[in-house]
Amino acid sequence: MEKKLIKCPSCGVVLEVKNSQDEAMKIIKCPKCSTPLRVRFKKQEMPAMDAETHLAARGDSAKTQLADGKPSTGRAAILCEGKSYPLHEGLNIVCRKAGTSTADVQIDVGDRYMSRQNAAVTVRQVGGKYVVSIASLKNPNPILIGSEKLLDGDEVILSDGDEFIMGTTTLKLIYT
């Protein structure tokens, strides 16, 4: 039996889902707002890993996103080219450094494919632990998590050490 944490993108409620019959995918309804949520489970032949979080995108036909979702007790930061950019609790707008930008976290790189308002990174405390999620702001430059493109309206929970790409720059979430 495998357990997953999921977050309803409509109302924000966090649920624990179990796959009791070795299911590859399970569809449930949010008990608060009745939004359908799709949860994919890892294949049984894979080695055991930490819990995974699957977040359903907005809309009934939207694609579900997958990310490791183990909450951390440490403070979060983004690591890029050896430099650490601290994240504060709440919403952090992340972008490339620009004189006209008002973003909270400005990554000092010359990557013109990274937008001046590229990502929304949210740090929340859930049960005394920090949970960090990332969402794409509406811009022409996608965010990649692994080989998956983060679609507008999707939010993915990141774990310590998870890498993501904004523009052509690889960034890493770390807990300090």
Side-chain angles (χ1 to χ4, degrees), residues 74-88 90-96 103-109 114 118-123 132-135 143 158-166 169-176:
R75 297 292 288 169
I78 293 175
L79 184 64
C80 179
E81 298 178 357
K83 186 172 179 186
S84 178
Y85 299 87
L87 299 169
H88 60 80
L91 177 65
N92 297 266
I93 303 299
V94 181
C95 70
R96 69 175 155 86
D104 304 293
V105 180
Q106 297 186 32
I107 308 296
D108 193 8
V109 292
M114 186 186 299
N118 209 119
V121 177
T122 305
V123 180
V132 178
S133 62
I134 186 169
I143 297 170
L158 298 172
S159 292
D160 186 24
D162 280 352
E163 291 185 343
F164 55 98
I165 299 171
M166 291 175 26
T169 304
T170 300
L171 303 124
K172 181 189 271 189
L173 177 73
I174 59 169
Y175 287 101
T176 56

Short mmCIF file of all heavy atoms in Angstrom, two decimals, residues 74-88 90-96 103-109 114 118-123 132-135 143 158-166 169-176:
data_model
loop_
_atom_site.label_atom_id
_atom_site.label_comp_id
_atom_site.label_asym_id
_atom_site.label_seq_id
_atom_site.Cartn_x
_atom_site.Cartn_y
_atom_site.Cartn_z
N GLY A 74 13.36 22.92 7.69
CA GLY A 74 14.33 24.01 7.54
C GLY A 74 13.81 25.18 6.74
O GLY A 74 12.74 25.15 6.17
N ARG A 75 14.59 26.27 6.71
CA ARG A 75 14.28 27.43 5.90
C ARG A 75 14.68 27.13 4.46
O ARG A 75 15.67 26.47 4.20
CB ARG A 75 15.04 28.65 6.41
CG ARG A 75 14.64 29.04 7.83
CD ARG A 75 13.25 29.55 7.94
NE ARG A 75 13.19 30.87 7.34
CZ ARG A 75 12.08 31.53 7.07
NH1 ARG A 75 10.94 30.99 7.36
NH2 ARG A 75 12.11 32.71 6.54
N ALA A 76 13.93 27.66 3.52
CA ALA A 76 14.13 27.32 2.11
C ALA A 76 14.91 28.42 1.38
O ALA A 76 14.83 29.60 1.74
CB ALA A 76 12.79 27.11 1.43
N ALA A 77 15.63 28.00 0.34
CA ALA A 77 16.36 28.93 -0.52
C ALA A 77 16.48 28.30 -1.91
O ALA A 77 16.31 27.09 -2.08
CB ALA A 77 17.75 29.22 0.04
N ILE A 78 16.77 29.15 -2.89
CA ILE A 78 17.04 28.67 -4.25
C ILE A 78 18.54 28.80 -4.47
O ILE A 78 19.13 29.85 -4.20
CB ILE A 78 16.26 29.48 -5.29
CG1 ILE A 78 14.76 29.22 -5.14
CG2 ILE A 78 16.73 29.14 -6.71
CD1 ILE A 78 13.89 30.07 -6.04
N LEU A 79 19.15 27.74 -4.97
CA LEU A 79 20.58 27.72 -5.24
C LEU A 79 20.78 27.81 -6.74
O LEU A 79 20.18 27.05 -7.50
CB LEU A 79 21.20 26.44 -4.69
CG LEU A 79 22.71 26.31 -4.80
CD1 LEU A 79 23.41 27.37 -3.96
CD2 LEU A 79 23.15 24.92 -4.35
N CYS A 80 21.62 28.75 -7.17
CA CYS A 80 21.93 28.92 -8.59
C CYS A 80 23.39 29.33 -8.73
O CYS A 80 23.81 30.36 -8.17
CB CYS A 80 21.02 29.97 -9.22
SG CYS A 80 21.35 30.25 -10.97
N GLU A 81 24.15 28.54 -9.47
CA GLU A 81 25.56 28.81 -9.74
C GLU A 81 26.33 29.13 -8.46
O GLU A 81 27.12 30.07 -8.39
CB GLU A 81 25.69 29.94 -10.77
CG GLU A 81 25.09 29.58 -12.11
CD GLU A 81 25.18 30.69 -13.14
OE1 GLU A 81 25.65 31.80 -12.84
OE2 GLU A 81 24.75 30.42 -14.29
N GLY A 82 26.07 28.34 -7.41
CA GLY A 82 26.79 28.48 -6.15
C GLY A 82 26.28 29.58 -5.23
O GLY A 82 26.76 29.71 -4.11
N LYS A 83 25.32 30.37 -5.66
CA LYS A 83 24.79 31.45 -4.83
C LYS A 83 23.41 31.06 -4.31
O LYS A 83 22.59 30.52 -5.04
CB LYS A 83 24.70 32.74 -5.64
CG LYS A 83 24.29 33.93 -4.79
CD LYS A 83 24.39 35.23 -5.56
CE LYS A 83 23.95 36.37 -4.65
NZ LYS A 83 23.89 37.64 -5.33
N SER A 84 23.16 31.36 -3.03
CA SER A 84 21.90 31.04 -2.39
C SER A 84 21.00 32.27 -2.34
O SER A 84 21.44 33.35 -1.96
CB SER A 84 22.17 30.53 -0.97
OG SER A 84 20.96 30.24 -0.32
N TYR A 85 19.73 32.08 -2.73
CA TYR A 85 18.73 33.15 -2.71
C TYR A 85 17.63 32.73 -1.73
O TYR A 85 16.82 31.86 -2.04
CB TYR A 85 18.14 33.35 -4.11
CG TYR A 85 19.16 33.78 -5.13
CD1 TYR A 85 19.91 32.83 -5.84
CD2 TYR A 85 19.39 35.12 -5.39
CE1 TYR A 85 20.85 33.22 -6.76
CE2 TYR A 85 20.34 35.52 -6.33
CZ TYR A 85 21.07 34.56 -7.01
OH TYR A 85 22.00 34.95 -7.93
N PRO A 86 17.61 33.32 -0.51
CA PRO A 86 16.64 32.91 0.51
C PRO A 86 15.20 33.19 0.08
O PRO A 86 14.92 34.18 -0.60
CB PRO A 86 17.00 33.75 1.73
CG PRO A 86 18.24 34.48 1.41
CD PRO A 86 18.49 34.38 -0.05
N LEU A 87 14.31 32.33 0.52
CA LEU A 87 12.87 32.49 0.29
C LEU A 87 12.21 32.83 1.61
O LEU A 87 12.55 32.25 2.65
CB LEU A 87 12.26 31.19 -0.26
CG LEU A 87 12.80 30.70 -1.60
CD1 LEU A 87 12.31 29.29 -1.88
CD2 LEU A 87 12.40 31.64 -2.71
N HIS A 88 11.29 33.77 1.60
CA HIS A 88 10.56 34.10 2.82
C HIS A 88 9.25 33.32 2.84
O HIS A 88 8.79 32.83 1.80
CB HIS A 88 10.30 35.60 2.94
CG HIS A 88 9.51 36.19 1.81
ND1 HIS A 88 8.14 36.08 1.72
CD2 HIS A 88 9.90 36.88 0.71
CE1 HIS A 88 7.72 36.69 0.64
NE2 HIS A 88 8.77 37.18 -0.02
N GLY A 90 5.48 32.61 2.61
CA GLY A 90 4.47 33.25 1.79
C GLY A 90 4.87 33.20 0.32
O GLY A 90 5.67 32.36 -0.09
N LEU A 91 4.33 34.12 -0.46
CA LEU A 91 4.56 34.15 -1.91
C LEU A 91 5.86 34.85 -2.24
O LEU A 91 6.13 35.95 -1.77
CB LEU A 91 3.40 34.88 -2.60
CG LEU A 91 3.51 35.05 -4.11
CD1 LEU A 91 3.48 33.70 -4.82
CD2 LEU A 91 2.38 35.94 -4.61
N ASN A 92 6.70 34.20 -3.07
CA ASN A 92 7.95 34.76 -3.58
C ASN A 92 7.87 34.77 -5.10
O ASN A 92 7.71 33.71 -5.72
CB ASN A 92 9.14 33.88 -3.18
CG ASN A 92 9.36 33.80 -1.70
OD1 ASN A 92 10.12 34.54 -1.13
ND2 ASN A 92 8.67 32.87 -1.04
N ILE A 93 7.97 35.94 -5.72
CA ILE A 93 8.04 36.02 -7.18
C ILE A 93 9.51 35.88 -7.55
O ILE A 93 10.36 36.62 -7.05
CB ILE A 93 7.47 37.35 -7.71
CG1 ILE A 93 6.03 37.54 -7.23
CG2 ILE A 93 7.57 37.42 -9.23
CD1 ILE A 93 5.06 36.47 -7.69
N VAL A 94 9.82 34.93 -8.44
CA VAL A 94 11.20 34.62 -8.80
C VAL A 94 11.42 34.96 -10.27
O VAL A 94 10.58 34.65 -11.12
CB VAL A 94 11.52 33.13 -8.56
CG1 VAL A 94 12.96 32.81 -8.91
CG2 VAL A 94 11.23 32.76 -7.10
N CYS A 95 12.56 35.60 -10.56
CA CYS A 95 12.86 36.02 -11.93
C CYS A 95 14.36 36.22 -12.10
O CYS A 95 15.12 36.05 -11.16
CB CYS A 95 12.14 37.34 -12.21
SG CYS A 95 12.85 38.74 -11.31
N ARG A 96 14.74 36.63 -13.31
CA ARG A 96 16.14 37.04 -13.51
C ARG A 96 16.28 38.46 -13.01
O ARG A 96 15.32 39.22 -12.96
CB ARG A 96 16.53 36.93 -14.98
CG ARG A 96 15.88 37.91 -15.90
CD ARG A 96 16.47 37.77 -17.32
NE ARG A 96 15.55 38.22 -18.32
CZ ARG A 96 15.43 39.48 -18.71
NH1 ARG A 96 16.16 40.41 -18.16
NH2 ARG A 96 14.56 39.81 -19.65
N ALA A 103 10.35 41.89 -8.42
CA ALA A 103 10.25 40.53 -7.89
C ALA A 103 11.00 40.40 -6.57
O ALA A 103 11.98 41.11 -6.31
CB ALA A 103 10.78 39.53 -8.90
N ASP A 104 10.54 39.46 -5.72
CA ASP A 104 11.15 39.21 -4.42
C ASP A 104 12.54 38.58 -4.54
O ASP A 104 13.44 38.91 -3.79
CB ASP A 104 10.27 38.25 -3.59
CG ASP A 104 8.87 38.78 -3.43
OD1 ASP A 104 8.70 39.80 -2.75
OD2 ASP A 104 7.94 38.17 -3.99
N VAL A 105 12.68 37.61 -5.46
CA VAL A 105 13.92 36.88 -5.63
C VAL A 105 14.40 37.09 -7.06
O VAL A 105 13.76 36.61 -8.00
CB VAL A 105 13.72 35.36 -5.34
CG1 VAL A 105 15.03 34.61 -5.51
CG2 VAL A 105 13.14 35.15 -3.95
N GLN A 106 15.51 37.81 -7.21
CA GLN A 106 16.06 38.11 -8.53
C GLN A 106 17.36 37.34 -8.71
O GLN A 106 18.35 37.63 -8.04
CB GLN A 106 16.27 39.62 -8.70
CG GLN A 106 14.96 40.38 -8.62
CD GLN A 106 15.12 41.85 -8.93
OE1 GLN A 106 15.95 42.24 -9.73
NE2 GLN A 106 14.29 42.67 -8.29
N ILE A 107 17.33 36.35 -9.59
CA ILE A 107 18.48 35.49 -9.83
C ILE A 107 19.46 36.24 -10.73
O ILE A 107 19.11 36.69 -11.82
CB ILE A 107 18.04 34.16 -10.50
CG1 ILE A 107 16.90 33.49 -9.71
CG2 ILE A 107 19.23 33.24 -10.68
CD1 ILE A 107 17.24 33.06 -8.31
N ASP A 108 20.70 36.37 -10.26
CA ASP A 108 21.72 37.15 -10.96
C ASP A 108 22.41 36.31 -12.03
O ASP A 108 23.49 35.76 -11.82
CB ASP A 108 22.73 37.69 -9.95
CG ASP A 108 23.65 38.76 -10.54
OD1 ASP A 108 23.40 39.19 -11.67
OD2 ASP A 108 24.60 39.15 -9.84
N VAL A 109 21.72 36.16 -13.18
CA VAL A 109 22.28 35.44 -14.34
C VAL A 109 21.97 36.25 -15.59
O VAL A 109 21.06 37.06 -15.60
CB VAL A 109 21.68 34.01 -14.49
CG1 VAL A 109 22.12 33.12 -13.36
CG2 VAL A 109 20.18 34.04 -14.60
N MET A 114 15.02 33.62 -19.17
CA MET A 114 14.33 33.64 -17.88
C MET A 114 13.59 34.97 -17.81
O MET A 114 14.18 36.02 -17.97
CB MET A 114 15.33 33.53 -16.71
CG MET A 114 14.65 33.40 -15.37
SD MET A 114 15.80 33.45 -13.95
CE MET A 114 16.82 32.03 -14.26
N ASN A 118 8.96 35.14 -13.60
CA ASN A 118 8.89 33.80 -14.17
C ASN A 118 8.09 32.81 -13.34
O ASN A 118 7.31 32.04 -13.89
CB ASN A 118 10.31 33.26 -14.35
CG ASN A 118 10.43 32.28 -15.50
OD1 ASN A 118 11.17 32.53 -16.43
ND2 ASN A 118 9.72 31.19 -15.44
N ALA A 119 8.28 32.83 -12.01
CA ALA A 119 7.67 31.80 -11.17
C ALA A 119 7.14 32.37 -9.87
O ALA A 119 7.67 33.35 -9.36
CB ALA A 119 8.69 30.70 -10.86
N ALA A 120 6.11 31.71 -9.36
CA ALA A 120 5.59 32.02 -8.03
C ALA A 120 5.98 30.84 -7.14
O ALA A 120 5.52 29.72 -7.34
CB ALA A 120 4.08 32.18 -8.07
N VAL A 121 6.84 31.10 -6.17
CA VAL A 121 7.28 30.07 -5.23
C VAL A 121 6.68 30.42 -3.88
O VAL A 121 6.91 31.50 -3.35
CB VAL A 121 8.82 30.00 -5.15
CG1 VAL A 121 9.26 28.98 -4.11
CG2 VAL A 121 9.42 29.66 -6.52
N THR A 122 5.88 29.50 -3.35
CA THR A 122 5.19 29.74 -2.09
C THR A 122 5.76 28.84 -1.00
O THR A 122 5.90 27.63 -1.20
CB THR A 122 3.68 29.48 -2.25
OG1 THR A 122 3.19 30.27 -3.33
CG2 THR A 122 2.92 29.84 -0.99
N VAL A 123 6.08 29.45 0.12
CA VAL A 123 6.58 28.72 1.29
C VAL A 123 5.49 28.79 2.36
O VAL A 123 5.07 29.87 2.75
CB VAL A 123 7.89 29.35 1.83
CG1 VAL A 123 8.39 28.58 3.05
CG2 VAL A 123 8.96 29.40 0.74
N VAL A 132 7.23 23.83 0.19
CA VAL A 132 7.52 24.80 -0.87
C VAL A 132 6.87 24.32 -2.16
O VAL A 132 7.05 23.17 -2.57
CB VAL A 132 9.04 24.97 -1.07
CG1 VAL A 132 9.33 25.94 -2.20
CG2 VAL A 132 9.71 25.41 0.22
N SER A 133 6.10 25.21 -2.79
CA SER A 133 5.48 24.87 -4.07
C SER A 133 5.88 25.91 -5.11
O SER A 133 6.22 27.04 -4.78
CB SER A 133 3.96 24.80 -3.94
OG SER A 133 3.44 26.06 -3.56
N ILE A 134 5.83 25.51 -6.38
CA ILE A 134 6.18 26.40 -7.48
C ILE A 134 5.05 26.38 -8.51
O ILE A 134 4.45 25.34 -8.75
CB ILE A 134 7.53 26.00 -8.13
CG1 ILE A 134 7.95 27.03 -9.18
CG2 ILE A 134 7.47 24.60 -8.71
CD1 ILE A 134 9.39 26.85 -9.68
N ALA A 135 4.77 27.54 -9.05
CA ALA A 135 3.77 27.69 -10.11
C ALA A 135 4.32 28.64 -11.15
O ALA A 135 5.08 29.56 -10.82
CB ALA A 135 2.45 28.22 -9.54
N ILE A 143 8.66 26.77 -17.28
CA ILE A 143 9.45 26.19 -16.20
C ILE A 143 9.42 24.69 -16.42
O ILE A 143 8.37 24.11 -16.67
CB ILE A 143 8.85 26.53 -14.83
CG1 ILE A 143 8.86 28.04 -14.61
CG2 ILE A 143 9.60 25.81 -13.71
CD1 ILE A 143 8.08 28.50 -13.40
N LEU A 158 7.82 21.07 -4.17
CA LEU A 158 9.23 20.73 -4.33
C LEU A 158 9.80 20.23 -3.01
O LEU A 158 9.40 20.69 -1.95
CB LEU A 158 10.03 21.95 -4.79
CG LEU A 158 9.66 22.57 -6.13
CD1 LEU A 158 10.42 23.87 -6.33
CD2 LEU A 158 9.95 21.60 -7.26
N SER A 159 10.76 19.31 -3.10
CA SER A 159 11.47 18.81 -1.92
C SER A 159 12.89 19.32 -1.94
O SER A 159 13.38 19.81 -2.97
CB SER A 159 11.50 17.28 -1.93
OG SER A 159 10.22 16.77 -1.73
N ASP A 160 13.56 19.18 -0.81
CA ASP A 160 14.95 19.57 -0.69
C ASP A 160 15.78 18.88 -1.78
O ASP A 160 15.71 17.67 -1.93
CB ASP A 160 15.46 19.19 0.70
CG ASP A 160 16.86 19.69 0.98
OD1 ASP A 160 17.30 20.67 0.34
OD2 ASP A 160 17.53 19.09 1.84
N GLY A 161 16.51 19.65 -2.56
CA GLY A 161 17.36 19.10 -3.61
C GLY A 161 16.71 19.00 -4.98
O GLY A 161 17.38 18.68 -5.96
N ASP A 162 15.42 19.28 -5.08
CA ASP A 162 14.74 19.22 -6.37
C ASP A 162 15.27 20.32 -7.28
O ASP A 162 15.46 21.47 -6.86
CB ASP A 162 13.23 19.39 -6.23
CG ASP A 162 12.54 18.11 -5.80
OD1 ASP A 162 13.20 17.05 -5.76
OD2 ASP A 162 11.34 18.17 -5.50
N GLU A 163 15.51 19.96 -8.54
CA GLU A 163 15.98 20.92 -9.53
C GLU A 163 14.85 21.28 -10.49
O GLU A 163 13.98 20.47 -10.77
CB GLU A 163 17.16 20.35 -10.32
CG GLU A 163 18.40 20.20 -9.48
CD GLU A 163 19.61 19.73 -10.28
OE1 GLU A 163 19.44 19.22 -11.42
OE2 GLU A 163 20.73 19.87 -9.77
N PHE A 164 14.89 22.53 -10.97
CA PHE A 164 13.95 22.99 -11.97
C PHE A 164 14.67 23.97 -12.87
O PHE A 164 15.72 24.51 -12.52
CB PHE A 164 12.70 23.61 -11.32
CG PHE A 164 12.97 24.72 -10.35
CD1 PHE A 164 12.86 26.06 -10.73
CD2 PHE A 164 13.32 24.44 -9.04
CE1 PHE A 164 13.10 27.08 -9.84
CE2 PHE A 164 13.56 25.46 -8.13
CZ PHE A 164 13.45 26.79 -8.54
N ILE A 165 14.14 24.14 -14.08
CA ILE A 165 14.78 24.99 -15.08
C ILE A 165 13.87 26.15 -15.41
O ILE A 165 12.70 25.96 -15.73
CB ILE A 165 15.13 24.19 -16.36
CG1 ILE A 165 16.10 23.07 -16.02
CG2 ILE A 165 15.69 25.11 -17.43
CD1 ILE A 165 16.34 22.09 -17.15
N MET A 166 14.44 27.36 -15.33
CA MET A 166 13.75 28.57 -15.76
C MET A 166 14.62 29.17 -16.86
O MET A 166 15.80 29.42 -16.64
CB MET A 166 13.58 29.56 -14.59
CG MET A 166 12.61 29.06 -13.57
SD MET A 166 12.38 30.05 -12.05
CE MET A 166 12.80 31.69 -12.48
N THR A 169 18.48 28.19 -17.35
CA THR A 169 19.21 28.11 -16.10
C THR A 169 18.61 27.04 -15.18
O THR A 169 17.41 27.02 -14.95
CB THR A 169 19.17 29.48 -15.36
OG1 THR A 169 19.68 30.48 -16.25
CG2 THR A 169 19.98 29.45 -14.09
N THR A 170 19.48 26.18 -14.64
CA THR A 170 19.06 25.16 -13.69
C THR A 170 19.18 25.71 -12.28
O THR A 170 20.21 26.25 -11.90
CB THR A 170 19.91 23.89 -13.82
OG1 THR A 170 19.77 23.37 -15.15
CG2 THR A 170 19.48 22.82 -12.83
N LEU A 171 18.09 25.59 -11.52
CA LEU A 171 18.04 26.06 -10.15
C LEU A 171 17.72 24.87 -9.26
O LEU A 171 17.15 23.88 -9.72
CB LEU A 171 16.95 27.13 -10.01
CG LEU A 171 17.14 28.31 -10.95
CD1 LEU A 171 15.92 28.50 -11.79
CD2 LEU A 171 17.47 29.56 -10.18
N LYS A 172 18.04 24.98 -7.98
CA LYS A 172 17.80 23.90 -7.04
C LYS A 172 17.19 24.46 -5.76
O LYS A 172 17.63 25.48 -5.26
CB LYS A 172 19.11 23.20 -6.71
CG LYS A 172 18.98 22.02 -5.75
CD LYS A 172 20.32 21.49 -5.30
CE LYS A 172 20.82 20.45 -6.25
NZ LYS A 172 22.01 19.76 -5.72
N LEU A 173 16.17 23.77 -5.25
CA LEU A 173 15.60 24.13 -3.97
C LEU A 173 16.42 23.47 -2.88
O LEU A 173 16.70 22.27 -2.95
CB LEU A 173 14.14 23.66 -3.86
CG LEU A 173 13.51 23.95 -2.50
CD1 LEU A 173 13.22 25.44 -2.34
CD2 LEU A 173 12.27 23.15 -2.29
N ILE A 174 16.84 24.26 -1.89
CA ILE A 174 17.60 23.72 -0.76
C ILE A 174 16.99 24.22 0.54
O ILE A 174 16.32 25.24 0.56
CB ILE A 174 19.10 24.11 -0.82
CG1 ILE A 174 19.27 25.63 -0.82
CG2 ILE A 174 19.77 23.46 -2.02
CD1 ILE A 174 20.70 26.08 -0.62
N TYR A 175 17.21 23.46 1.60
CA TYR A 175 16.81 23.90 2.92
C TYR A 175 18.09 24.20 3.69
O TYR A 175 19.03 23.42 3.67
CB TYR A 175 16.00 22.82 3.64
CG TYR A 175 14.61 22.69 3.05
CD1 TYR A 175 14.30 21.67 2.17
CD2 TYR A 175 13.63 23.61 3.36
CE1 TYR A 175 13.03 21.57 1.63
CE2 TYR A 175 12.35 23.52 2.82
CZ TYR A 175 12.08 22.49 1.95
OH TYR A 175 10.83 22.39 1.42
N THR A 176 18.12 25.36 4.33
CA THR A 176 19.32 25.81 5.04
C THR A 176 19.18 25.61 6.52
O THR A 176 18.11 25.41 7.03
CB THR A 176 19.59 27.29 4.74
OG1 THR A 176 18.42 28.05 5.09
CG2 THR A 176 19.90 27.50 3.28
#
